[in-house]
């Protein structure tokens, strides 16, 4: 598998596979966000998810994939710090705003920063048509933010803060997308990066934080349903994060980052069908603009 993936890097076959992986990551990331934002406290949900994927990844990291090369340990340390910042920003964002309000801003702000990061780090250049697509995407994002600021009736007292936190979280999304793309390209075996990332990232921050939060609650939720959500979220995380990271190894980081943001459309459907949040035709139109921008970026590549 590793040899075949290496053989198609930078080829048309690799490009098509990267396209499919980025779209799969979009769908799965919307599901992942809904799992964290759902019926449980977002901090507890994230702790259960991280604990689950850390434990599931441990045997693969320790006994299956090749051990990381010496130069990978500082890279893992940097990834750990960046993802801690992302999780903190994301947790506060989800506690301050409704899922369908903050998620499109989080996922839509990231591509602009990711495209700039891909240019600085990997020398990737977008065509004029692709920049038009980024512009359409951003129009949808900020149009949605303004619409929500004016019309959203719930959680008005925290809405402005939620939107600002969503932009900050989007910045972390771009940072970890670019940095992790560098990390997965720095090792000979991409599965080594993925297994060790999940192992280290999963066990050493959010689970202790979530356990402390759970212990301090006066009305503690049952651990059974919480951990069931954690295991489900872990499986989704493996496929979602693994897909986008593999896409960034096979093809351009900027394009993969933009295509993943079609997740906003999936998020709208999940928020409406699963979480019971009202969407409405205007917000659906603005979310569709975000997806359309991603499609233009792909067509202009």
């Amino acid at each position: 598998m590793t040899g075949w993936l290496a053989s198609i890097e930078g080829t048309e076959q690799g490009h098509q596979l990267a396209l499919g992986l980025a779209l799969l990551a979009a769908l799965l990331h919307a599901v992942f966000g809904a799992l964290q934002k759902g019926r449980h406290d977002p901090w507890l949900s994230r702790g259960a998810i991280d604990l689950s994927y850390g434990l599931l990844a441990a045997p693969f990291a320790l006994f299956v994939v090749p051990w990381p090369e010496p130069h990978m340990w500082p890279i893992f340390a940097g990834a750990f710090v960046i993802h801690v910042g992302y999780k903190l920003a994301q947790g506060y964002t989800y506690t301050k705003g409704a899922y369908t309000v903050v998620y499109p801003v989080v996922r839509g702000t990231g591509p602009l920063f990711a495209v700039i990061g891909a240019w600085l780090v990997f020398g990737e250049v977008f065509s004029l048509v692709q920049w038009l697509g980024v512009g359409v995407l951003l129009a949808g994002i900020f149009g949605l933010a303004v619409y929500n600021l004016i019309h959203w009736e719930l959680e008005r007292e925290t809405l402005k803060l939620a939107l600002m936190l969503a932009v900050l979280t989007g910045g972390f999304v771009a940072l970890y997308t670019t940095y992790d793309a560098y990390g997965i390209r720095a090792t000979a075996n991409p599965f080594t990066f993925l297994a060790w990332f999940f192992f280290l990232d999963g066990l050493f921050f959010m689970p202790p934080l979530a356990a402390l939060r759970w212990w301090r609650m006066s009305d503690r939720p049952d651990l059974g349903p919480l951990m069931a959500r954690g295991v489900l979220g872990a499986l989704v995380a493996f496929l979602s994060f693994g897909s986008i990271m593999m896409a960034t190894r096979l093809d351009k980081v900027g394009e993969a980052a933009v295509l993943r943001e079609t997740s906003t459309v999936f998020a709208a459907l999940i928020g409406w069908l699963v979480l019971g949040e009202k969407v409405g035709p205007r917000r659906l139109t603005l979310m569709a603009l975000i997806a359309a921008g991603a499609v233009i970026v792909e067509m202009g590549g």
Side-chain angles (χ1 to χ4, degrees):
M1 174 68 77
T2 303
W4 175 71
L5 289 171
S7 71
I8 65 172
E9 289 178 16
T11 67
E12 179 59 26
Q13 185 180 5
H15 173 74
Q16 293 301 322
L17 179 57
L19 170 62
L21 289 171
L23 293 175
L24 176 63
L27 170 60
L28 293 174
H29 202 285
V31 174
F32 184 88
L35 285 171
Q36 183 176 355
K37 174 61 179 175
R39 55 188 290 255
H40 293 102
D41 177 275
W43 298 99
L44 299 185
S45 297
R46 185 69 203 222
I49 290 169
D50 282 23
L51 177 63
S52 298
Y53 72 55
L55 292 174
L56 290 171
F60 292 94
L62 296 172
F63 304 113
V64 178
V65 300
W67 274 58
E69 303 92 328
H71 70 270
M72 289 300 298
W73 297 114
I75 293 175
F76 282 127
F80 180 81
V81 172
I82 291 169
H83 280 268
V84 165
Y86 162 67
K87 290 173 189 177
L88 289 173
Q90 184 185 57
Y92 282 115
T93 298
Y94 283 164
T95 57
K96 298 299 181 182
Y99 178 63
T100 51
V101 172
V102 297
Y103 186 87
V105 179
V106 170
R107 304 313 306 180
T109 306
L112 176 62
F113 299 139
V115 168
I116 296 172
W119 170 62
L120 292 172
V121 177
F122 302 109
E124 296 180 3
V125 179
F126 267 26
S127 68
L128 289 177
V129 174
Q130 287 179 304
W131 276 114
L132 173 63
V134 173
V136 171
L137 182 143
L138 291 176
I141 294 164
F142 292 112
L144 188 62
V146 171
Y147 181 85
N148 288 330
L149 196 59
I150 296 172
H151 297 286
W152 192 257
E153 297 178 358
L154 301 177
E155 301 169 320
R156 290 294 303 180
E157 66 279 0
T158 61
L159 182 57
K160 290 183 180 180
L161 177 59
L163 291 174
M164 289 189 289
L165 286 169
V167 173
L168 174 65
T169 307
F172 273 108
V173 169
L175 182 59
Y176 82 63
T177 299
T178 307
Y179 186 89
D180 293 344
Y182 168 76
I184 200 170
R185 295 179 181 196
T187 182
N189 190 319
F191 296 104
T192 293
F193 177 86
L194 292 174
W196 278 90
F197 167 81
F198 280 115
F199 174 46
L200 297 172
D201 180 72
L203 297 180
F204 298 110
F205 181 70
M206 285 301 297
L209 186 67
L212 181 62
R213 184 177 179 88
W214 180 85
W215 182 257
R216 290 178 174 177
M217 285 182 168
S218 57
D219 184 19
R220 303 187 189 106
D222 293 336
L223 290 178
L226 181 62
M227 289 311 302
R229 180 177 291 262
V231 173
L232 177 59
L235 298 176
V236 173
F238 285 144
L239 293 173
S240 174
F241 185 78
S243 294
I244 193 62
M245 284 297 96
M246 202 63 71
T248 62
R249 174 151 178 161
L250 292 171
D251 202 37
K252 292 182 177 180
V253 176
E255 288 188 17
V258 171
L259 286 171
R260 181 178 54 184
E261 306 324 322
T262 53
S263 61
T264 53
V265 178
F266 299 121
L269 293 174
I270 291 170
W272 172 45
L273 296 173
V274 180
L275 301 180
E277 298 178 357
K278 294 182 180 180
V279 178
R282 294 179 183 176
R283 295 178 69 229
L284 273 177
T285 300
L286 290 167
M287 290 180 181
L289 266 184
I290 299 172
V295 172
I296 294 171
V297 168
E298 170 60 21
M299 292 177 62

